[in-house]
Amino acid sequence: MKKAFLLGLLIVLGVASVGSAELRGEWDTWLKLNLRPELALDNFYSFLDVQYATCNLTLEAASLLNADGLDAVWFEAYGSVGAFSAWSLLFFNPESFFGSSFMLFQNAAEVSVGGVDFYALFAVKDVYGGLGFIGTGFAIGGIGAVRGCRFGVEVAFNLDSQLWPIFRYGLYGGLTDWTYTLCASDIWYPYWILGQYTPYVIVPTCDLLFSYLTGIAQFPISCVDLYVGALFDCEGFLFLSFLAEDIDVGIDWLKIYGLSVTYWIDEKYVSLWTQIETGDVVCFQPYFTVWYAGESWPDAISLNALTLTCTVLGCQFYWGHLFDRYMVDYGEWMGMPAYDVWGGPRIEIYGFGPLGVNLVSLLDEYPCLWIVYEGDGQSGEPYFPNEVFGVRCDEDSCCGGLFSFALSNFFSTEFDAPVTGIFGWMGSYVELYVGVGSNVNLIGALNVTSLHGVEFITMGVEVAW
């Protein structure tokens, strides 16, 4: 493990030594202490990222160190020459429990010829995440435009079809972002910032296996943009789908993000993404779900959540409440449009997060949610809050940079949550962010729960150059 860490560090420093004039990077280190049952190290992360840019080419090397040793190492290279551009990523997990440190090698390239953008994707992946079962896959495609209409075709081999996100967001705009980040509500849980797609190798083989042939066309009809998509696999025709976006039905308060009709061999599937528009009504943001009976007519309107954000005396106050954890993931309130050519998911919202430096938001991802466990430690049943209120204040630091203070308080109004205190209080999270100069930031955080009082103390430093 020490040898792997030294090797990764030497490679990072080697990239850094190529030249200092165009060198940039960051070094972040965080330490989390557990106060129960006695003072002990709960977790530790140190992240180093170095980039060197020259001649329209950027070389990047990054490593992540935790309390057990080197956790991740990855290398990126991207740039362009004339009409040609390319991106490459090589990723290792030295802490793999299964003996294989190699995880992923994926590449993307694009060239514009005669108004058509041709692209290629190639990936080599340990399909089962460390077991040593390696598979390869690639896809080639092209997207062009004629008189306001766009057309795209892609053929994929041992790779999931990627045409739809590339058609919408571009080859590089939709790729997974490999910048490392941490959740604010639990500053020590790392996760990758995901893009709209990542080339996914299907089975562990290096044979040439045909997977999908995809075609998409976009053209304006009357007052809407219509997408038509068809997908074929090795058994032939799979489905044909039609999607219309931003449909104006003449009702100001009803917004229809999208309507799709998908024809399979033996069935038809209809999806409708809607939202109730409230306009600029004070600072409240409602989240509605319009339920449909028989996938045709509105059956009921459900208010899933309500949040409030306002600014008083230079500080931002926020409040949020979940009325119904089940909702349809529609529109853009959770990020990019969630629907795809063949429909959108129905999801469960567990609670609030991330919080602290960021304002209140709703998420369905476990790592970034405030979670309280019944019993000692994290061996019991998890409970999620359905209400939060807090405050965040931003000021100029005395030493340069930004000074931020955030306090978030979490509650549960559900009768079956035995982890609450007075008024249903589950816990609080306090975060302090101080800029020391223009490139150095100090972070301090405190986790308090109704079960154990003060549980965790967090300290960190971020350096950029």
Side-chain angles (χ1 to χ4, degrees), residues 116-130:
V116 179
D117 295 327
F118 295 97
Y119 66 87
L121 299 168
F122 174 72
V124 181
K125 183 179 180 180
D126 189 329
V127 176
Y128 302 122

Side-chain angles (χ1 to χ4, degrees), residues 362-389:
L362 303 175
L363 287 179
D364 63 329
E365 296 292 336
Y366 273 92
C368 302
L369 295 177
W370 180 271
I371 303 174
V372 173
Y373 289 85
E374 181 184 14
D376 191 16
Q378 295 187 0
S379 59
E381 181 179 356
Y383 292 92
F384 310 95
N386 63 348
E387 189 168 65
V388 64
F389 76 83

Side-chain angles (χ1 to χ4, degrees), residues 382-459:
Y383 292 92
F384 310 95
N386 63 348
E387 189 168 65
V388 64
F389 76 83
V391 59
R392 169 185 168 180
C393 300
D394 297 322
E395 300 288 344
D396 292 331
S397 175
C398 62
C399 308
L402 183 68
F403 172 87
S404 295
F405 168 81
L407 168 64
S408 300
N409 303 286
F410 302 89
F411 298 83
S412 175
T413 62
E414 298 175 341
F415 67 92
D416 60 345
V419 293
T420 59
I422 186 171
F423 304 126
W425 176 70
M426 294 180 66
S428 297
Y429 175 78
V430 184
E431 185 174 280
L432 188 65
Y433 189 92
V434 181
V436 182
S438 58
N439 297 321
V440 180
N441 300 307
L442 302 179
I443 298 175
L446 195 68
N447 294 64
V448 185
T449 69
S450 60
L451 286 175
H452 302 132
V454 179
E455 289 196 20
F456 301 105
I457 295 177
T458 297
M459 296 170 287

Side-chain angles (χ1 to χ4, degrees), residues 308-319:
L308 165 69
T309 303
C310 60
T311 302
V312 179
L313 299 177
C315 294
Q316 293 176 297
F317 292 85
Y318 49 89
W319 167 87

Side-chain angles (χ1 to χ4, degrees), residues 1-42:
M1 183 57 65
K2 292 182 178 179
K3 292 181 179 180
F5 170 68
L6 291 175
L7 177 61
L9 186 60
L10 287 174
I11 295 175
V12 169
L13 295 178
V15 174
S17 65
V18 175
S20 59
E22 300 182 55
L23 183 71
R24 59 182 181 268
E26 64 175 303
W27 182 22
D28 306 331
T29 300
W30 305 275
L31 177 70
K32 183 178 180 182
L33 300 176
N34 190 341
L35 275 64
R36 291 187 56 85
E38 60 185 18
L39 182 63
L41 176 66
D42 183 80

Side-chain angles (χ1 to χ4, degrees), residues 71-415:
D71 187 33
V73 177
W74 68 95
F75 307 92
E76 284 187 77
Y78 50 92
S80 61
V81 178
F84 176 82
S85 59
W87 169 88
S88 182
L89 168 78
L90 180 61
F91 172 54
F92 298 92
N93 178 11
E95 281 194 338
S96 172
F97 294 103
F98 307 108
S100 176
S101 296
F102 169 78
M103 289 294 167
L104 179 65
F105 178 51
Q106 61 185 28
N107 306 268
E110 186 177 49
V111 61
S112 297
V113 179
V116 179
D117 295 327
F118 295 97
Y119 66 87
L121 299 168
F122 174 72
V124 181
K125 183 179 180 180
D126 189 329
V127 176
Y128 302 122
L131 292 176
F133 292 92
I134 308 300
T136 61
F138 73 95
I140 54 175
I143 300 174
V146 178
R147 296 182 179 181
C149 302
R150 298 177 66 220
F151 303 91
V153 177
E154 178 193 271
V155 58
F157 299 87
N158 199 27
L159 205 68
D160 276 352
S161 175
Q162 311 291 338
L163 178 60
W164 174 241
I166 296 174
F167 196 87
R168 291 185 63 86
Y169 311 115
L171 179 64
Y172 305 111
L175 269 170
T176 296
D177 185 355
W178 282 81
T179 300
Y180 199 82
T181 189
L182 298 169
C183 301
S185 58
D186 184 359
I187 201 169
W188 308 117
Y189 198 107
Y191 70 106
W192 306 113
I193 304 176
L194 295 181
Q196 297 305 312
Y197 76 95
T198 181
Y200 180 74
V201 178
I202 300 175
V203 295
T205 180
C206 294
D207 294 336
L208 185 64
L209 300 178
F210 169 75
S211 299
Y212 299 105
L213 172 64
T214 313
I216 297 177
Q218 176 193 8
F219 46 88
I221 293 182
S222 184
C223 57
V224 300
D225 282 338
L226 182 66
Y227 292 88
V228 180
L231 189 68
F232 299 82
D233 61 10
C234 59
E235 296 182 359
F237 174 80
L238 195 60
F239 65 75
L240 175 69
S241 185
F242 299 86
L243 169 66
E245 289 190 307
D246 297 326
I247 301 173
D248 185 1
V249 294
I251 303 176
D252 294 337
W253 53 267
L254 178 62
K255 181 172 183 179
I256 300 179
Y257 284 101
L259 168 65
S260 74
V261 181
T262 302
Y263 295 92
W264 301 76
I265 292 294
D266 53 357
E267 63 179 323
K268 181 180 72 171
Y269 184 79
V270 179
S271 296
L272 185 64
W273 296 268
T274 61
Q275 181 170 336
I276 305 297
E277 290 286 330
T278 58
D280 297 328
V281 181
V282 293
C283 324
F284 287 93
Q285 172 63 52
Y287 300 92
F288 290 99
T289 287
V290 181
W291 299 101
Y292 295 89
E295 300 177 346
S296 297
W297 300 100
D299 181 52
I301 298 176
S302 173
L303 177 62
N304 298 104
L306 188 66
T307 61
L308 165 69
T309 303
C310 60
T311 302
V312 179
L313 299 177
C315 294
Q316 293 176 297
F317 292 85
Y318 49 89
W319 167 87
H321 187 88
L322 280 173
F323 300 100
D324 187 352
R325 296 186 190 274
Y326 291 93
M327 63 185 70
V328 175
D329 188 359
Y330 56 86
E332 300 181 2
W333 68 269
M334 295 197 56
M336 302 299 287
Y339 47 78
D340 52 33
V341 173
W342 46 86
R346 179 173 179 264
I347 63 172
E348 179 180 0
I349 300 296
Y350 295 102
F352 290 96
L355 299 159
V357 171
N358 297 313
L359 291 180
V360 61
S361 60
L362 303 175
L363 287 179
D364 63 329
E365 296 292 336
Y366 273 92
C368 302
L369 295 177
W370 180 271
I371 303 174
V372 173
Y373 289 85
E374 181 184 14
D376 191 16
Q378 295 187 0
S379 59
E381 181 179 356
Y383 292 92
F384 310 95
N386 63 348
E387 189 168 65
V388 64
F389 76 83
V391 59
R392 169 185 168 180
C393 300
D394 297 322
E395 300 288 344
D396 292 331
S397 175
C398 62
C399 308
L402 183 68
F403 172 87
S404 295
F405 168 81
L407 168 64
S408 300
N409 303 286
F410 302 89
F411 298 83
S412 175
T413 62
E414 298 175 341
F415 67 92

